Amino acid sequence: MAPAPAPAAPIPVVVAGALGRMGAEVIKALHAAPDCQLVAAIDTTSGKEGADVGLELGLGELQVAITSDFEGALCQASQAARSGGAAVLVDFTHPSVVYEHSRGAIAYGVHPVIGTTGLSSEQLADLAAFAEKAGVGGAVIPNFSVGMVLLQQAAAAAARFYDYAELTELHHNRKADAPSGTCIKTAELIEELGKAFNPQQVEEHETLAGCRGGLRESGLRLHSIRLPGLVAHQEVLFGAPGETYTLRHDTIERSAYMPGVLLTVRKVRQLGGLVYGLERLL
């Protein structure tokens, strides 16, 4: 009888933004996933340098010290990857640093999984070209919720039958970018039809600048709401004579994103380039 194959080594994972709301949830999910291993935790919170991230998050000692040294953490992950295969970076930080983080990860051969939104189309194109040249797969995921992917697909299908549509996204008031990457992604999927929306019926005049939302070239309008108490919510409202059709998704807890995060961590190392959107991996 042939010997049983040795179990695969766990996937080495670096988490950037480790003490943030999403980063903390990611670390908890990784801790519960036997095929993943947290090898570095990056965070710039004052006074936390060197603290054990597991103790900070109530998970018990994980023997992973919090560090603000991003490049050092990538170097450490590259070394850990020798036994467990290529390492993965999960980034939930800030739009001002996510581009540099992504390029840095690719340069070190670490597969980036980017949940931070706010990357421009030019930055996405540059990262895609860099990843392809380096042969390092990566994923930019505006929203890790499977339910949101289903909403986006339903919105794209409904857009065939409606000429009027507006999108509203609602988030907590600590979100830095507006509109959200998820809302932009939803609009882009609707726009793949190549049609124009919201033909003008009247000469509009805003008595308060911006109250009609952001206007895209397709005619779609995007609205952003920021309030404490919200997590992440999106509504797509279609209109036609005599009826409206509303699609809405509500994230109640950030744990809803974790199946999508783990799915991406497990699949990103099989990619040869950069993908955009969770639907590309489902």
Side-chain angles (χ1 to χ4, degrees):
M1 179 181 296
I11 303 167
V13 183
V14 178
V15 175
L19 298 182
R21 295 178 182 182
M22 281 298 294
E25 286 292 335
V26 170
I27 289 176
K28 292 174 184 177
L30 293 172
H31 181 59
D35 60 339
C36 298
Q37 181 182 7
L38 179 70
V39 297
I42 304 166
D43 200 275
T44 58
T45 300
S46 177
K48 298 300 182 181
E49 184 81 18
D52 186 283
V53 70
L55 294 177
E56 291 295 321
L57 299 180
L59 299 174
E61 188 173 0
L62 296 182
Q63 296 185 343
V64 177
I66 298 167
T67 179
S68 59
D69 182 2
F70 182 79
E71 188 169 347
L74 290 181
C75 182
Q76 178 183 344
S78 296
Q79 294 173 353
R82 294 174 184 173
S83 59
V88 175
L89 165 72
V90 179
D91 188 292
F92 284 98
T93 53
H94 192 274
S96 64
V97 297
V98 65
Y99 172 73
E100 287 77 11
H101 283 187
S102 303
R103 280 193 65 94
I106 294 168
Y108 272 91
V110 175
H111 297 268
V113 173
I114 306 302
T116 307
T117 57
L119 287 166
S120 68
S121 56
E122 293 79 13
Q123 288 174 325
L124 285 170
D126 179 78
L127 290 174
F130 189 43
E132 183 176 3
K133 183 177 180 180
V136 177
V140 177
I141 312 295
N143 194 300
F144 285 95
S145 165
V146 173
M148 180 55 70
V149 172
L150 296 176
L151 178 146
Q152 290 172 332
Q153 293 176 344
R160 294 168 50 206
F161 305 100
Y162 292 92
D163 295 328
Y164 295 86
E166 302 208 7
L167 292 76
T168 301
E169 54 93 357
L170 309 89
H171 281 80
H172 55 88
N173 60 335
R174 294 179 63 186
K175 183 172 179 58
D177 57 314
S180 69
T182 300
C183 194
I184 293 172
K185 177 65 173 178
T186 306
E188 290 172 345
L189 291 170
I190 292 172
E191 290 164 348
E192 286 182 359
L193 284 171
K195 63 186 283 188
F197 293 89
N198 301 325
Q200 191 171 17
Q201 301 296 303
V202 66
E203 188 69 32
E204 290 188 357
H205 173 64
E206 290 182 330
T207 56
L208 180 63
C211 65
R212 285 288 289 119
L215 178 63
R216 292 176 63 85
E217 289 186 7
S218 65
L220 290 176
R221 289 189 179 272
L222 278 57
H223 308 265
S224 296
I225 294 174
R226 299 289 179 265
L227 288 172
L230 296 171
V231 179
H233 317 261
Q234 182 170 286
E235 183 174 281
V236 183
L237 181 62
F238 295 94
E243 68 171 6
T244 59
Y245 176 46
T246 303
L247 297 169
R248 183 176 172 109
H249 179 266
D250 296 286
T251 302
I252 308 304
E253 294 181 350
R254 289 170 177 82
S255 57
Y257 300 124
M258 293 308 107
V261 170
L262 292 176
L263 170 73
T264 308
V265 166
R266 290 165 178 148
K267 288 192 172 185
V268 70
R269 301 191 303 172
Q270 304 166 20
L271 304 175
L274 192 73
V275 299
Y276 179 54
L278 185 63
E279 72 278 2
R280 308 299 182 191
L281 299 175
L282 293 177

